[in-house]
Amino acid sequence: MDEKVSPEMDRVSHDEKNGAPPPENYTSETGGRRGSVALNIVENPLTRSSHAQAVADAELYAESHGMPEHKALFGRAALVARDPGSFERLQELDETERNALIYERDHKWHGPTMLWYSITLCAIGAATQGWDQTGSNGANLSFPAEFGIDSGTGRDQWIVGLVNAIIFLTAGLIGAFIVDPLNYYLGRRGEIFLTACCLTATPIGSGFARSWQGLFAARFVLGIGIGAKNATVPIYSAEMAPARIRGALVMFWQLWVVIGIFLGFCANVIVKDTGPIAWRLQLGSAFIPSFILGCGIWFCPESPRWLMKHGKHDKAFRSMNRLRAHPIIAARDYYYSYVLYNEELKLARGSGYFSRLWDCFAVPRIRRANYGASTVMLAQQMCGINIISFYSSTIFTEVGYTPTQALYASLGYGAVQVIFTIPTLFLIDTKGRRTLTLITFPLMCIFLLAAGLSLLKTTGSQGAQIGPVVLYFSSVRFVYLFTIMYSLGEGPVAFQYSAEVFPTIQREQGMAWVVCINNTFAGILSLTFPRMSAVMTRTGAFGFYAALNLIAWGMIFCFVRETKQLTLEEIDQVFSVPTKEFLAYETGTWLPYFIKRHIFRRKIAKPPPIIARANEGPDGEKVDY
């Protein structure tokens, strides 16, 4: 049971312009405040100290942690972090610092070259996962025949499923759980370099396999590398990115996953006419993005938060300085992270691996974050997108199309994912993670079900059935619309959300757990789909996953909380609200508002979110207190 947490503030104002009454059970305040205010205000620990004390504490921190030359800088940065909305009135700032802060505030995407280089390089590493999926997608057309496992018997179907699934099973059950020791001893950069080497060698090894057992062994090791990389790269990106655009920058991960899917389909098409070695080239080509990642990672700075956690404070600040446009911005972000990291330490029950892993289930605040992250990771597999990612080429050939037509149809699917992931870069930090998933899941259910039903339609043409993803048939609209909805919601949100919700202390353990969930269920899907589609038919399998979309929507409604535009440390307080209180707000306040406003089109005031920043309304507008 979650313990009861009393809100620090209970404030509400409403939009008086439309004359609507404030929501029920809220207390109005006077004083000319603009916009809505939250039930619980995210607390800034620096506000507990006076102006002078905040400066003194920051200067003492700099002196005692090997940075005496930055003593005055940290004092000024503490004042900015203490009241970020009022920095222009601080007399301690010089003109250059004030202008840098103003420019940052007014230019959302402002950042140094090193920030963009580091985020982009990590995103390129994500392409490995997508490329591996689509390489096996194309290889499924020919490697079963090469190894004599194409008879269509139950045994052969399970073997093909196992060869495809093993990279996800080992990623989830092995790779995700070696993240903590690898990060501890090698750092974020060292761990990424090691896994990049693994993911460069193993696809090449897959291409030289002489039996299905040899291919299985190469993909077994490949999966371990994928799991370790998947758990570290999003964390590394999240720890480098500024809060105001963290969602968009970390979402480069998903963008490059789908770019990897598209490039993998491109490679499948390019090598399709190479004869019996085509499947070997399709699997082996996945080494390309990992090779680029391994070569480029050593030019990136180490994660400032990782260095801080390991007591290397001077190096941590130098790293942050490389990732921010001005020293005052770097000092503000770094010192605020340090202050809130100390707040997190009060929740930690131990420093050992298993004690920190247990905290993800035992500490209420961390457990709620675990609910949310586990939900979005599981929902990514429940939605059914990987039916198409893993087996689209096979599905298309089974409904009457040639292998070449199937590869081109799959290429179109990959292109749709890339195109419609890009708009989410601009939506994820404005509309929010929770909102995007709640809107898109019901539509995904409808379109996937329609795609499955379209398989029942027969024609007198070449195919006995209409394939749902072939461009010149009208049923293409359903799977492409399903893919568009996935790309605008669950696809980008899953890894981005999971990377940000855990406290710094438990971040490796929390991310390892949810990556285990994601990859294990991806493996189960890949393993079972060949047999499921044979027993239930393709239509039945599509319908099964369409129903899971509705279940996933309910899970997201109950467990996923909004985190847009909060720092990684402020998110700690978002999950301090007990689950019972959160659900009461969602069902008693938000849902009635949504129905009245968006279904019955009534012009009513928007209720405040359950958590918001102290100096912002729910839509991001500034509120003067």
Side-chain angles (χ1 to χ4, degrees):
M1 292 288 290
D2 290 340
E3 78 281 8
K4 182 70 175 176
V5 177
S6 299
E8 294 176 28
M9 293 186 180
D10 188 5
R11 304 175 177 175
V12 161
S13 62
H14 69 285
D15 192 347
E16 298 179 356
K17 291 186 292 184
N18 59 25
E24 280 186 23
N25 301 324
Y26 289 109
T27 303
S28 296
E29 283 194 358
T30 59
R33 294 175 183 168
R34 297 180 288 109
S36 300
V37 189
L39 288 173
N40 295 316
I41 304 301
V42 174
E43 183 193 16
N44 181 340
L46 291 172
T47 60
R48 301 172 194 163
S49 304
S50 66
H51 182 105
Q53 187 61 48
V55 173
D57 290 344
E59 291 180 346
L60 177 62
Y61 164 77
E63 264 193 310
S64 60
H65 289 83
M67 297 178 285
E69 70 277 14
H70 297 306
K71 174 181 173 181
L73 174 64
F74 271 87
R76 298 192 299 275
L79 294 179
V80 177
R82 183 174 179 269
D83 190 3
S86 305
F87 67 84
E88 290 182 82
R89 297 198 294 267
L90 291 174
Q91 299 299 317
E92 290 83 354
L93 297 177
D94 62 38
E95 197 63 26
T96 302
E97 291 172 335
R98 188 173 289 105
N99 289 339
L101 290 166
I102 292 172
Y103 192 86
E104 179 207 33
R105 181 194 65 194
D106 296 340
H107 297 79
K108 177 180 178 180
W109 297 94
H110 178 55
T113 301
M114 182 52 69
L115 174 65
W116 294 102
Y117 170 80
S118 301
I119 295 291
T120 302
L121 185 69
C122 290
I124 291 173
T128 300
Q129 180 176 343
W131 204 316
D132 280 320
Q133 290 178 12
T134 51
S136 60
N137 186 310
N140 283 334
L141 297 176
S142 50
F143 91 80
E146 171 111 1
F147 297 142
I149 51 175
D150 61 338
S151 66
T153 63
R155 174 184 176 276
D156 286 353
Q157 288 169 344
W158 282 113
I159 290 175
V160 172
L162 184 61
V163 170
N164 282 297
I166 192 60
I167 64 171
F168 301 102
L169 294 174
T170 55
L173 299 175
I174 301 176
F177 290 104
I178 64 173
V179 168
D180 187 76
L182 289 179
N183 274 267
Y184 182 84
Y185 290 108
L186 302 177
R188 305 275 194 250
R189 290 192 311 163
E191 195 271 1
I192 292 171
F193 175 77
L194 180 63
T195 54
C197 292
C198 173
L199 297 178
T200 299
T202 48
I204 296 174
S206 298
F208 285 97
R210 296 299 178 186
S211 65
W212 74 260
Q213 292 91 340
L215 180 59
F216 174 87
R219 290 175 66 78
F220 185 99
V221 179
L222 173 66
I224 296 174
I226 286 177
K229 173 184 66 69
N230 286 1
T232 297
V233 173
I235 294 175
Y236 182 55
S237 300
E239 290 179 341
M240 291 189 293
R244 68 189 186 279
I245 54 172
R246 187 183 62 251
L249 292 187
V250 179
M251 212 207 73
F252 275 20
W253 168 272
Q254 177 62 23
L255 177 62
W256 275 91
V257 168
V258 297
I259 288 175
I261 289 173
F262 176 71
L263 293 176
F265 282 131
C266 288
N268 290 347
V269 171
I270 290 170
V271 303
K272 63 182 174 60
D273 296 324
T274 56
I277 66 168
W279 69 268
R280 299 182 183 276
L281 297 176
Q282 288 165 345
L283 291 176
S285 62
F287 86 91
I288 296 172
S290 295
F291 179 76
I292 296 172
L293 176 65
C295 291
I297 191 63
W298 289 110
F299 298 99
C300 298
E302 183 55 270
S303 162
R305 288 180 177 85
W306 184 90
L307 290 166
M308 177 206 303
K309 189 167 72 170
H310 288 259
K312 303 176 181 180
H313 295 267
D314 55 336
K315 292 182 180 179
F317 177 63
R318 289 200 300 270
S319 180
M320 182 68 84
N321 216 2
R322 296 179 66 191
L323 297 167
R324 297 296 184 266
H326 193 279
I328 190 66
I329 299 173
R332 177 203 64 193
D333 289 355
Y334 177 74
Y335 184 64
Y336 190 50
S337 295
Y338 169 75
V339 169
L340 289 169
Y341 174 65
N342 283 331
E343 295 291 307
E344 291 177 8
L345 288 174
K346 298 174 184 177
L347 287 176
R349 300 186 178 182
S351 59
Y353 178 90
F354 292 104
S355 62
R356 283 180 287 140
L357 180 61
W358 179 243
D359 282 348
C360 295
F361 303 92
V363 178
R365 171 265 178 267
I366 309 171
R367 182 171 66 241
R368 297 178 199 118
N370 197 356
Y371 289 164
S374 298
T375 294
V376 292
M377 287 296 215
L378 182 57
Q380 191 173 69
Q381 304 308 324
M382 292 172 68
C383 75
I385 189 68
N386 284 331
I387 293 174
I388 303 165
S389 294
F390 298 163
Y391 291 108
S392 61
S393 297
T394 303
I395 292 171
F396 303 150
T397 56
E398 288 181 358
V399 296
Y401 299 102
T402 67
T404 297
Q405 290 173 328
L407 290 174
Y408 277 110
S410 297
L411 180 63
Y413 156 76
V416 167
Q417 272 202 294
V418 173
I419 293 169
F420 287 94
T421 297
I422 293 172
T424 318
L425 286 168
F426 306 97
L427 295 173
I428 198 165
D429 283 319
T430 54
K431 299 302 180 184
R433 294 82 159 128
R434 174 180 167 84
T435 300
L436 290 175
T437 50
L438 288 178
I439 291 172
T440 54
F441 262 95
L443 297 172
M444 289 164 63
C445 171
I446 294 170
F447 295 139
L448 189 61
L449 180 61
L453 292 175
S454 71
L455 288 166
L456 296 173
K457 298 174 68 176
T458 58
T459 70
S461 59
Q462 175 188 5
Q465 296 173 312
I466 295 181
V469 197
V470 181
L471 285 172
Y472 44 83
F473 286 118
S474 61
S475 51
V476 64
R477 299 171 187 169
F478 299 127
V479 166
Y480 276 33
L481 286 171
F482 166 78
T483 305
I484 289 169
M485 291 301 105
Y486 172 82
S487 301
L488 292 174
E490 174 61 23
V493 165
F495 274 87
Q496 190 278 327
Y497 186 86
S498 301
E500 68 186 4
V501 297
F502 292 100
T504 301
I505 303 167
Q506 288 85 11
R507 194 160 290 153
E508 289 94 343
Q509 283 72 26
M511 194 65 181
W513 171 253
V514 297
V515 166
C516 169
I517 290 175
N518 184 276
N519 283 285
T520 300
F521 278 90
I524 292 172
L525 184 151
S526 184
L527 174 64
T528 58
F529 186 73
R531 189 60 183 161
M532 177 188 289
S533 60
V535 174
M536 298 174 59
T537 74
R538 299 291 187 194
T539 298
F542 273 53
F544 173 79
Y545 282 101
L548 291 184
N549 275 272
L550 292 183
I551 298 174
W553 185 93
M555 293 166 58
I556 289 168
F557 182 86
C558 293
F559 300 120
V560 175
R561 308 186 184 193
E562 190 53 75
T563 58
K564 67 176 182 179
Q565 297 184 1
L566 295 174
T567 68
L568 292 176
E569 291 76 19
E570 286 171 338
I571 290 171
D572 189 68
Q573 296 179 54
V574 171
F575 291 98
S576 293
V577 179
T579 302
K580 183 178 179 180
E581 188 175 317
F582 173 76
L583 289 176
Y585 170 84
E586 292 297 310
T587 56
T589 301
W590 181 85
L591 190 58
Y593 161 78
F594 180 85
I595 293 172
K596 293 173 184 177
R597 178 67 182 87
H598 297 287
I599 297 179
F600 294 109
R601 311 304 297 174
R602 290 174 55 187
K603 292 184 178 181
I604 60 174
K606 184 176 182 179
I610 196 166
I611 286 286
R613 295 180 118 162
N615 64 334
E616 289 183 359
D619 296 315
E621 72 271 23
K622 297 296 178 183
V623 181
D624 298 320
Y625 297 114

